[in-house]
Amino acid sequence: MLHYDIVIVGGGPAGLAAAVSAKEHGVESILVLERDQELGGILNQCIHNGFGLHTFQEELTGPEYAGRFIEQAEKAQVAYKLNTMVLEISKDKVVTVMNGKEGMFEIQASAVILAMGCRERARGALNIPGYRPAGIYSAGTAQRLVNMEGFLPGRQVVILGSGDIGLIMARRMTLEGAKVHVVAELLPYSGGLKRNLVQCLDDFNIPLKLSHTVVDIDGKDRVKGVTIAKVDEGRKPISGTETYYPCDTLLLSCGLIPENELSQSLGVELNPVTSGPFVNECFETNVEGVFACGNVLHVHDLVDFVSKEAASAGKHAAAYVKYKGKHPAVVSKDIPIVPESGVRYTVPKTINPDRMDEKHTIRFRVDKVYKNCYISVYLGKERIIYKKRPIAAPGEMEEVIFHKELFQAVPDLSKITIKIEEA
């Protein structure tokens, strides 16, 4: 059996950042396992720019951003295996893997970092009636076909869902000569970044219809058209509001789901809101020595934040290996962070003042669009942060920063509350 101090599942931006960070913090024995034929993950097909502004202070494409971390990992001599599928992780951190060269084998890890990323929600989860004709793609599949395989999925396009991938593909398909008739969104607000709404739809005069969904797909062998209807507050189609769009392609951009089948079989506790693991301030799950970072933890809007969180996970995994699972001088208890009044979830779920860094970023999303609101943080009953936001939307992550010294004045703190308060 092979032995490594840290085994990282996933060679995308999260896995690479975690590996580089763990190496920088003194762990030499690291192995990255990647099921694809190259490192970099989903960034390899994201050829548009907008990456790296926070991390490198310059605008990069997805492959360029991934390339920076691949160079760092190779310079640090981080070991990795490509075309290698992880089949199982046991509670004593034995990782069962398989590839074409070595067959099936086991790796004993001292610590495991989960960095498997996320997948798109497919048509089967959307309950769209009609036949199953050709011409229906997830937005990410279409992105790979266009950017990496050199195929154009279709020429007359309708997009369901206004997530960032769907918005980017509206622009990409238009640039390749296709006609994007409409982007329909079930919710009364877009799920994408504001900049993508402007750069991908407004700049190309592509209409966005909020509170609309696809109610019928026409065509048996190939899509001939789709019918879109307005929905009420209960998200039920309103009779008489149907509009038919002739098209040969329907792209689905209806949300991302963290890839946590491995996590579940391992016994990792998942947050029903994010479908990702509950973690503490070290990005450690409820299974000792198993850490999680990136989109497997919660879906991020910027890869820069993925890298930052993953670097922290790598640092703490290295500390776990160094201290053999025992954190030095931990006296205080884990304090729960409770989301309330418009805050859907927080990452992390708990924080321990003894284990935390000098400052720690808490990230979360709101449940709807709020205007002229305040993000409030309470230590017990005392409000310590009251930050005004002109607009807070589900499509963009929010954050607050905790400093370690905050907790020195409240040694018996039982909970931290984060909520949205109206102005």
Side-chain angles (χ1 to χ4, degrees):
M1 187 185 293
L2 298 174
H3 291 261
Y4 284 88
D5 286 336
I6 298 177
V7 170
I8 300 172
V9 186
L16 292 172
V20 170
S21 176
K23 196 85 170 184
E24 288 173 349
H25 287 89
V27 175
E28 292 297 322
S29 176
I30 301 169
L31 178 64
V32 176
L33 300 171
E34 171 55 50
R35 65 185 177 187
D36 209 345
Q37 61 188 4
E38 56 191 340
L39 296 172
I42 200 68
L43 290 183
N44 291 322
Q45 69 184 50
C46 301
I47 64 172
H48 54 280
N49 59 9
F51 302 92
L53 289 169
H54 296 265
T55 307
F56 299 109
Q57 284 72 55
E58 59 180 306
E59 200 169 36
L60 305 171
T61 65
E64 287 173 332
Y65 186 93
R68 297 282 179 97
F69 278 95
I70 292 170
E71 286 175 13
Q72 290 178 23
E74 291 181 340
K75 186 177 180 181
Q77 296 183 319
V78 172
Y80 59 87
K81 289 181 181 291
L82 302 176
N83 298 305
T84 301
M85 178 70 74
V86 176
L87 303 177
E88 186 181 29
I89 305 170
S90 69
K91 290 197 174 181
D92 54 358
K93 295 181 277 295
V94 174
V95 185
T96 304
V97 302
M98 184 171 67
N99 63 35
K101 289 184 178 180
E102 299 162 282
M104 187 180 295
F105 57 100
E106 292 182 332
I107 304 167
Q108 176 66 65
S110 299
V112 174
I113 300 177
L114 305 173
M116 294 88 74
C118 59
R119 66 174 181 268
E120 293 179 279
R121 186 172 279 111
R123 179 186 173 174
L126 301 177
N127 297 322
I128 301 172
Y131 288 104
R132 295 293 189 263
I136 303 174
Y137 302 87
S138 69
T141 300
Q143 185 180 56
R144 184 178 181 90
L145 287 171
V146 174
N147 293 347
M148 297 186 74
E149 310 293 341
F151 295 106
L152 188 64
R155 296 196 172 275
Q156 302 293 323
V157 184
V158 169
I159 299 177
L160 175 61
S162 61
D164 286 314
I165 307 173
L167 299 177
I168 287 163
M169 282 311 294
R171 175 179 63 186
R172 190 77 183 96
M173 295 292 282
T174 302
L175 291 172
E176 289 298 329
K179 169 66 176 176
V180 179
H181 293 282
V182 67
V183 176
E185 170 57 58
L186 178 68
L187 299 173
Y189 51 82
S190 170
L193 293 169
K194 178 68 175 176
R195 74 181 189 197
N196 285 335
L197 285 170
V198 174
Q199 294 173 5
C200 300
L201 297 190
D202 295 351
D203 288 357
F204 292 90
N205 296 315
I206 299 171
L208 170 64
K209 290 198 170 185
L210 300 174
S211 299
H212 280 72
T213 192
V214 171
V215 294
D216 188 41
I217 299 172
D218 181 26
K220 198 166 186 179
D221 296 323
R222 173 85 193 195
V223 174
K224 293 181 178 178
V226 299
T227 302
I228 290 175
K230 190 174 177 63
V231 298
D232 58 23
E233 292 181 356
R235 301 180 188 174
K236 302 290 184 185
I238 300 171
S239 180
T241 63
E242 297 87 356
T243 304
Y244 180 82
Y245 291 90
C247 63
D248 58 21
T249 305
L250 173 63
L251 300 188
L252 305 176
S253 178
C254 303
L256 300 168
I257 305 169
E259 290 263 20
N260 273 300
E261 285 72 22
L262 276 175
S263 313
Q264 278 186 301
S265 64
L266 173 58
V268 169
E269 185 183 359
L270 301 183
N271 185 335
V273 176
T274 63
S275 298
F278 285 116
V279 294
N280 61 20
E281 75 293 331
C282 298
F283 295 94
E284 188 176 16
T285 68
N286 63 299
V287 179
E288 183 185 319
V290 176
F291 300 78
C293 59
N295 283 347
V296 81
L297 178 57
H298 63 134
V299 176
H300 293 65
D301 45 7
L302 296 178
V303 72
D304 300 78
F305 298 152
V306 166
S307 301
K308 192 173 182 180
E309 285 186 1
S312 183
K315 171 186 173 182
H316 288 291
Y320 176 88
V321 170
K322 181 179 178 182
Y323 295 112
K324 294 182 171 56
K326 302 296 182 184
H327 292 279
V330 176
V331 178
S332 57
K333 296 179 180 178
D334 291 352
I335 304 167
I337 303 172
V338 181
E340 287 185 1
S341 304
V343 177
R344 297 185 66 228
Y345 68 89
T346 66
V347 172
K349 180 190 179 185
T350 62
I351 194 165
N352 188 303
D354 287 342
R355 284 197 306 255
M356 72 179 285
D357 298 328
E358 288 305 313
K359 64 178 183 178
H360 189 90
T361 302
I362 310 297
R363 291 195 167 89
F364 59 92
R365 289 186 189 269
V366 298
D367 61 356
K368 63 179 184 180
V369 176
Y370 294 89
K371 295 182 179 179
N372 296 319
C373 63
Y374 289 88
I375 294 171
S376 299
V377 178
Y378 290 80
L379 298 187
K381 294 184 179 179
E382 181 186 358
R383 185 168 63 191
I384 55 134
I385 294 176
Y386 191 53
K387 185 168 69 170
K388 187 167 186 180
R389 296 285 281 113
I391 187 165
E396 301 196 26
M397 280 199 310
E398 299 289 341
E399 63 178 44
V400 292
I401 298 174
F402 288 174
H403 293 267
K404 196 166 187 170
E405 60 191 31
L406 271 176
F407 299 98
Q408 295 174 350
V410 279
D412 299 323
L413 184 63
S414 60
K415 76 170 182 176
I416 301 164
T417 306
I418 301 179
K419 62 173 71 174
I420 300 297
E421 295 185 325
E422 303 287 351

